[in-house]
Amino acid sequence: MRTPLLPILLVAAGLAACPEPIPAERARPAPPQGTLAPAGLAPEAPEVDVLNVRRPAEPEWLGLYLVGKKAGWTRVFLGRELRAGRDVLVGTSETLVRATVGGKTVERRQLEERVFEARPGGRLLSFRGEWSGDGGERSVEGTCTPDGCRAVLRGAAGPSQTRDLGPVGETADGADAVRLAAARRATLTGRQIDLDKLRVREVRTAFVRRERVAGAGVESEVSVVTEQEVGDRIAAEYRVADDGRVVEVRLGEAIVARPEPERTARRLDRVDMFALSRVVLPRPLPRQVPMTVRYRIRGLPATFHQQDARQRFAAGPAGETLLSVSARIPAAADPRRDTPRERARAGADREDLAPTPQIDSDAPAISRLAREVAGDVPGSYAAAVRLADHVYRRLAKAYGASHDRASDVLSAGKGDCTEHALLFVALARALGIPARGVLGLVFAQYEDGTPALYWHAWAEVRSGGEWIAIDPIFGQPVADATHIALGGGARGHFLTQADAVGLLGALAVEGVEVVGGS
């Protein structure tokens, strides 16, 4: 079962990002791919495979809850069909998320289909994805041969694009890995295409334990299975009944999916993303650079304590996390230490320069604008600052008016923090500047006067031997120390990490201290 809970609610949580800009001062190793690893218990049914594992005969409907509020629904089904005279296994999912952002109702819908050979380990034959709503209209269709997969992307603006993904290795077993892991009481690992980002990810699905659950006055046993992309710090947790029904999916403390009748699943609450997702602060924070802010945070797991040039973590005396964030003027602000663009391109990792379905830095309009704005600037950081300033001035600040592709953001001319970061990263990469997006929290204060951290997106560029945080929606050539990075950047791909979103509702800031210049 490939419930699209994680990617969709990542999008939903992203809607909670982007506070209004304040005028800126200028374990254990996973088994090898495709193997089964014992989980400490003998399998109940070693002969179980993807064709005969028990699953509902009808589509499953699940309500999607964010911090206790119904934010959306998903419909999933996996079954055999005869297509063009061929016996195939077809997995489909449809998901809708709706929320209120800054007083505006925002809705996003996603549809996915994958077709496999109808046999254990059957090869992926084709795939299709469609996205609509406030994230923009776009689609992807692909076919696979033993030599690899090819995808065609279409958006609301611009010509279609073709991408070769190479040998993917996704099989039919991954289409129902959760139920297979539950039935076999084992661990499965395998490769899957992330249709949203068109990248191949390594996914680990593991049987964890048996536990008793109560419902309608009756207790029964279920299998608990976790699923996560290798490298994530928080896993989705599934509870699977012995008849194959998924009775709950949970990501962290705040995101839950529960089975419901279709009519109930479609009935949604009014969800105010800003109010649900903010982390209240003891007092307001300044925004100067240079500056250091020390936070005392409850609920931040040790797996998030990744040290870098800006952030330093330590364990507090009462089990809390002590986080110090320092913002300083980078070395590359000196033109003599600013890495020339031609050298930056030569020494960068490919993933920090390559176009993606979202960061379409190879789109003609993106490439042309990047050259017009900063093509004459030799230094990487100096060019990035000019690009960020252009994005800050060019895009209208429109919360909830989202677009999922940089070229579409450019065409629309508006967006929130995600759109500003997305367009900026695409423009930087178009000039050969290593750039990546970051997801985290930032300080803001709204009409009710409550100082808080809100979910936010910004970017990093590399120059002078370091990654430099830049916030194009706040107009900051150096992101201030109220920015706390939790995902993206060195922590993963552009705003795709489930681990950061899994922290929704779990964090509390118990104290802050402003140290001053860093």
Side-chain angles (χ1 to χ4, degrees):
M1 177 184 182
R2 296 192 68 261
T3 304
L5 172 67
L6 305 190
I8 283 293
L9 279 176
L10 282 166
V11 171
L15 300 178
C18 316
E20 185 171 347
I22 296 172
E25 297 94 354
R26 292 284 325 169
R28 175 180 173 179
Q33 173 189 329
T35 65
L36 291 175
L41 292 172
E44 287 185 342
E47 72 281 359
V48 171
D49 60 43
V50 71
L51 297 184
N52 62 27
V53 68
R54 298 183 70 181
R55 67 172 67 94
E58 300 294 330
E60 295 172 273
W61 287 83
L62 297 95
L64 304 181
Y65 291 83
L66 182 62
V67 197
K69 293 286 189 179
K70 178 74 110 16
W73 53 261
T74 186
R75 172 189 181 275
V76 294
F77 185 64
L78 181 66
R80 294 176 76 166
E81 296 182 18
L82 196 64
R83 291 194 177 184
R86 187 172 192 175
D87 185 19
V88 294
L89 191 64
V90 181
T92 60
S93 65
E94 182 182 6
T95 306
L96 179 139
V97 171
R98 183 186 301 150
T100 300
V101 182
K104 177 183 177 180
T105 299
V106 177
E107 182 175 290
R108 297 188 179 185
R109 187 183 296 265
Q110 174 177 314
L111 175 68
E112 286 192 10
E113 178 189 85
R114 297 171 196 247
V115 181
F116 302 88
E117 296 173 325
R119 61 179 178 83
R123 184 169 55 84
L124 177 66
L125 301 174
S126 65
F127 53 86
R128 176 170 61 94
E130 297 176 3
W131 297 266
S132 60
D134 294 278
E137 306 281 334
R138 60 188 178 93
S139 67
V140 60
E141 290 187 71
T143 56
C144 299
T145 69
D147 296 327
C149 298
R150 171 172 288 193
V152 178
L153 294 81
R154 296 181 176 87
S160 62
Q161 304 174 29
T162 300
R163 298 193 187 276
D164 289 315
L165 305 181
V168 171
E170 181 171 350
T171 70
D173 292 359
D176 218 351
V178 168
R179 274 186 271 258
L180 281 175
R184 297 175 180 176
R185 300 193 183 182
T187 296
L188 287 78
T189 60
R191 293 159 65 86
Q192 295 177 354
I193 301 176
D194 177 347
L195 296 189
D196 190 22
K197 310 298 184 293
L198 271 193
R199 63 184 183 92
V200 180
R201 58 185 185 177
E202 196 83 14
V203 178
R204 184 174 186 266
T205 309
F207 171 82
V208 177
R209 63 183 180 274
R210 297 279 287 175
E211 72 178 27
R212 299 192 69 82
V213 297
V218 178
E219 277 198 353
S220 60
E221 279 201 341
V222 299
S223 293
V224 179
V225 175
T226 60
E227 186 169 72
Q228 65 191 117
E229 181 176 354
V230 173
D232 279 354
R233 291 159 286 185
I234 295 179
E237 191 173 82
Y238 293 74
R239 282 166 176 76
V240 185
D242 290 341
D243 62 4
R245 290 176 299 111
V246 172
V247 299
E248 184 183 76
V249 189
R250 183 175 291 272
L251 177 63
E253 295 299 317
I255 299 176
V256 180
R258 300 190 183 98
E260 296 175 341
E262 177 181 353
R263 179 176 296 181
T264 304
R266 289 182 178 274
R267 192 163 56 239
L268 307 182
D269 296 333
R270 181 178 174 83
V271 179
D272 185 335
M273 297 296 292
F274 276 8
L276 283 182
S277 61
R278 72 183 183 182
V279 181
V280 175
L281 290 170
R283 64 182 180 88
L285 297 175
R287 291 192 171 278
Q288 291 87 354
V289 176
M291 185 179 72
T292 296
V293 180
R294 295 174 181 166
Y295 303 84
R296 188 155 48 88
I297 304 176
R298 184 77 59 180
L300 186 66
T303 50
F304 283 82
H305 299 181
Q306 180 173 328
Q307 312 283 356
D308 61 25
R310 281 176 56 95
Q311 301 189 165
R312 292 288 183 266
F313 297 85
E320 74 276 30
T321 296
L322 305 179
L323 168 61
S324 176
V325 181
S326 296
R328 60 174 176 79
I329 305 301
D334 181 345
R336 295 169 298 178
R337 302 181 66 180
D338 193 1
T339 303
R341 282 170 34 213
E342 61 272 16
R343 281 176 44 200
R345 181 188 295 273
D349 291 338
R350 183 182 181 280
E351 67 177 12
D352 297 322
L353 281 172
T356 72
Q358 282 191 312
I359 309 169
D360 53 346
S361 53
D362 54 350
I366 296 290
S367 300
R368 183 168 55 252
L369 178 62
R371 292 192 302 269
E372 290 173 357
V373 172
D376 61 339
V377 181
S380 296
Y381 178 63
V385 169
R386 188 180 289 186
L387 291 173
D389 182 69
H390 182 82
V391 171
Y392 171 72
R393 298 176 185 279
R394 184 185 189 100
L395 296 186
K397 282 43 176 176
Y399 301 95
S402 302
H403 295 275
D404 292 336
R405 248 187 0 173
S407 56
D408 291 336
V409 174
L410 180 59
S411 177
K414 61 183 178 181
D416 57 26
C417 61
T418 305
E419 281 67 50
H420 282 67
L422 183 61
L423 179 57
F424 168 72
V425 169
L427 290 169
R429 290 188 184 184
L431 286 185
I433 302 168
R436 59 197 188 187
V438 183
L439 172 68
L441 298 165
V442 75
F443 162 69
Q445 199 165 5
Y446 285 107
E447 291 80 1
D448 64 0
T450 302
L453 296 173
Y454 290 83
W455 291 89
H456 189 55
W458 61 100
E460 293 176 340
V461 297
R462 186 164 182 81
S463 184
E466 63 180 336
W467 284 98
I468 304 165
I470 295 177
D471 192 331
I473 198 172
F474 279 16
Q476 292 186 321
V478 178
D480 64 57
T482 74
H483 292 68
I484 300 175
L486 296 172
R491 302 153 191 86
H493 297 271
F494 190 83
L495 307 189
T496 66
Q497 290 295 301
D499 45 25
V501 178
L503 295 175
L504 282 173
L507 299 178
V509 176
E510 297 179 342
V512 293
E513 178 188 3
V514 178
V515 179
S518 58

